[in-house]
């Protein structure tokens, strides 16, 4: 039996040296050391030996077993180490590579212009005041001197709602009355920025949503000259390099007198281009002295107080400033447009 054990051990060790992975190693273990393995088979012959030969044979078998187990453990250690090393090699990362920069967002172009507008007026002492986008018919029209069924309503294509007397505001002007009612009898210097809605067929020139910035000053000695000065100061900062401007008489129900302000087309310098429709001039806002009826609706006595107001479209200002020829770009969420600014 000792001979048998010896040759089995030699064979087992030779095989073990050939084992290259943990699966093969486990097969080797069951083959030689398992319950039905080679060692167990040999030991089954122990019973046939004469009793006096059994202890020596048994001891020899135990020693073989111990040596094979030790060899097995050593091989397993080496294979596991190699497997770990291979995994490390495969999953290696170069921590010295530069990272991927996170995609940074930016302010929407309209927001940029709104903030620029607010900053310019803040320097002239105007606070920014926001009022609701869902407005009453009363404030959006009637308090602004536009009675029901008055033809002036046609100036605004309106989104009416299921609620009688509730509309999406068509302009920021109703904020004038809200602010006056809140502040009376204090003087007012404010801009009212925000979104407005129009029931329009969308095209390069018309959107159903846009931003406006309203302006309102109410006090005891406010004159048209104050209004003109404020508007020119604004335009000079918003349109750097603007050389000429003009005030053109106009009509709005809530101002009297009313006018519109044009500036020399900043894109062609007044020579004429597509943006100014070859006139050299572009309209940037409407304005006027607050109508006595509106002052009264705000709680101010028109005999003691006067005021000026103006209103501009933020997208229009932005289009003129950057030469953008289609208002639909602003709300179509196209990053290729938005990423060009800011
Ligand atoms: N609310 C007018 C509009 O949406 C713009 C406007 C014109 C506002 C003249 C004013 C103003 O405050 O005085 O068309």
């Amino acid at each position: 039996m000792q001979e048998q054990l010896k040759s089995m051990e030699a064979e087992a060790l030779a095989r073990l040296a050939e084992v290259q992975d943990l699966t093969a190693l486990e097969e080797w273990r069951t083959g030689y050391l398992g319950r039905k393995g080679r060692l167990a088979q040999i030991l089954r012959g122990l019973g046939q030996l004469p009793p006096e030969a059994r202890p020596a044979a048994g001891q020899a078998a135990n020693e073989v077993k111990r040596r094979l187990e030790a060899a097995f453990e050593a091989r397993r250690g080496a294979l596991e180490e190699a497997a770990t090393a291979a995994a490390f090699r495969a999953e290696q990362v170069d921590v010295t590579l530069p990272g991927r920069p996170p995609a940074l967002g930016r302010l929407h172009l309209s927001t940029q212009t709104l903030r620029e507008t607010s900053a310019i007026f803040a320097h002239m002492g105007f606070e920014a005041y926001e009022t609701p986008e869902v407005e009453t018919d009363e404030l959006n029209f009637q308090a602004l001197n536009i009675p029901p069924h008055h033809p002036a309503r046609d100036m605004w294509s309106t989104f009416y709602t299921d609620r009688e007397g509730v509309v999406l505001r068509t302009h920021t002007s109703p904020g004038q009355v809200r602010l006056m009612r809140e502040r009376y009898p204090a003087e007012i210097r404010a801009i009212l920025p925000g979104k407005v809605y129009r029931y329009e067929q969308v095209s390069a020139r018309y959107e159903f949503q846009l931003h406006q910035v309203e302006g309102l000053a109410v006090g005891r000695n406010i004159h048209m000259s104050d209004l003109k000065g404020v508007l020119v100061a604004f335009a000079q900062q918003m349109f750097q390099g603007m050389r000429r401007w003009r005030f053109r008489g106009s009509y709005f129900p809530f101002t009297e007198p009313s006018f519109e302000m044009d500036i020399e087309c900043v894109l062609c310098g007044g020579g004429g281009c597509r943006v100014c429709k070859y006139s050299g001039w572009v309209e940037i806002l409407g304005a006027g002295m607050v109508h006595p009826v509106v002052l009264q609706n705000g709680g101010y006595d028109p005999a003691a107080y006067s005021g000026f107001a103006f209103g501009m479209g933020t997208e229009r200002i932005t289009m003129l400033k950057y030469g953008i020829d289609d208002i639909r770009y602003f709300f179509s969420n196209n990053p290729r447009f938005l990423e060009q600014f800011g």
Side-chain angles (χ1 to χ4, degrees):
M1 170 161 299
Q2 274 86 335
E3 284 306 309
Q4 244 180 318
L5 284 166
K6 213 184 217 165
S7 71
M8 185 277 281
E9 181 181 5
E11 179 199 312
L13 291 174
R15 282 282 141 73
L16 187 61
E18 288 160 17
V19 162
Q20 292 305 333
D21 59 62
L22 292 169
T23 330
L25 181 69
E26 182 55 22
E27 275 163 25
W28 180 92
R29 196 190 61 76
T30 24
Y32 289 99
L33 297 171
R35 266 194 307 123
K36 293 178 183 161
R38 291 286 303 284
L39 181 67
Q41 281 166 20
I42 295 171
L43 282 175
R44 234 169 268 140
L46 212 57
Q48 272 103 62
L49 290 181
E52 61 279 13
R54 286 181 202 168
Q59 198 189 338
N62 274 337
E63 278 161 17
V64 168
K65 186 176 179 209
R66 221 177 304 118
R67 281 197 296 275
L68 287 182
E69 276 171 355
F72 168 82
E73 286 303 336
R75 189 79 189 133
R76 184 165 70 173
L79 285 176
E80 276 174 355
E81 222 166 86
T84 310
F88 276 148
R89 254 193 319 280
E91 294 164 23
Q92 200 171 35
V93 281
D94 182 351
V95 294
T96 66
L97 281 176
R100 285 182 202 129
L104 284 185
R106 72 205 73 216
L107 294 176
H108 188 278
L109 182 54
S110 294
T111 307
Q112 292 179 36
T113 306
L114 282 169
R115 292 195 178 183
E116 202 177 334
T117 308
S118 298
I120 293 170
F121 282 107
H123 279 113
M124 293 191 273
F126 287 71
E127 66 175 303
Y129 186 85
E130 291 187 48
T131 64
E133 292 176 17
V134 178
E135 193 49 281
T136 60
D137 185 284
E138 205 269 309
L139 286 170
N140 195 81
F141 294 117
Q142 295 165 52
L144 293 170
N145 200 27
I146 311 163
H149 312 299
H150 192 281
R153 288 208 175 204
D154 289 351
M155 291 170 77
W156 298 273
S157 322
T158 309
F159 279 115
Y160 292 91
T161 70
D162 291 345
R163 282 267 289 281
E164 177 78 28
V166 176
V167 300
L168 298 188
R169 67 175 177 191
T170 58
H171 49 181
T172 43
S173 303
Q176 289 186 28
V177 182
R178 285 183 175 273
L179 183 54
M180 281 191 272
R181 287 180 181 175
E182 186 189 294
R183 294 290 164 83
Y184 177 83
E187 300 218 320
I188 293 172
R189 308 257 183 292
I191 57 163
L192 301 95
K195 218 178 209 182
V196 305
Y197 301 88
R198 302 274 172 94
Y199 183 55
E200 298 281 7
Q201 174 71 51
V202 173
S203 69
R205 301 193 45 173
Y206 296 102
E207 254 292 0
F208 62 83
Q209 55 179 349
L210 50 112
H211 293 90
Q212 284 191 339
V213 176
E214 190 84 11
L216 177 69
V218 177
R220 289 185 179 273
N221 264 305
I222 293 191
H223 304 285
M224 180 81 107
S225 53
D226 301 314
L227 172 56
K228 288 178 167 179
V230 163
L231 294 179
V232 171
F234 161 74
Q236 280 172 332
Q237 290 172 76
M238 181 57 84
F239 300 99
Q240 306 269 328
M242 174 191 78
R243 287 174 303 165
R244 298 204 299 158
W245 59 90
R246 69 182 184 191
F247 299 110
R248 192 167 30 76
S250 185
Y251 169 74
F252 299 102
F254 31 86
T255 43
E256 182 59 37
S258 307
F259 62 84
E260 284 168 53
M261 181 179 186
D262 298 341
I263 63 168
E264 195 176 68
C265 180
V266 281
L267 292 168
C268 63
C273 67
R274 222 154 49 93
V275 171
C276 63
K277 294 198 227 89
Y278 303 98
S279 71
W281 294 97
V282 288
E283 179 235 310
I284 61 165
L285 52 81
M289 300 309 289
V290 180
H291 197 287
V293 165
V294 178
L295 280 174
Q296 213 148 32
N297 288 334
Y300 288 77
D301 175 5
Y305 288 87
S306 58
F308 67 67
F310 56 86
M312 65 184 91
T314 299
E315 282 71 30
R316 178 169 175 77
I317 297 276
T318 311
M319 289 167 78
L320 294 173
K321 188 167 165 144
Y322 296 101
I324 297 162
D325 60 6
D326 193 324
I327 195 174
R328 288 170 294 193
Y329 285 127
F330 285 85
F331 302 106
S332 58
N333 266 344
N334 184 348
R336 288 197 293 145
F337 170 73
L338 298 171
E339 281 169 359
Q340 293 176 53
F341 307 95

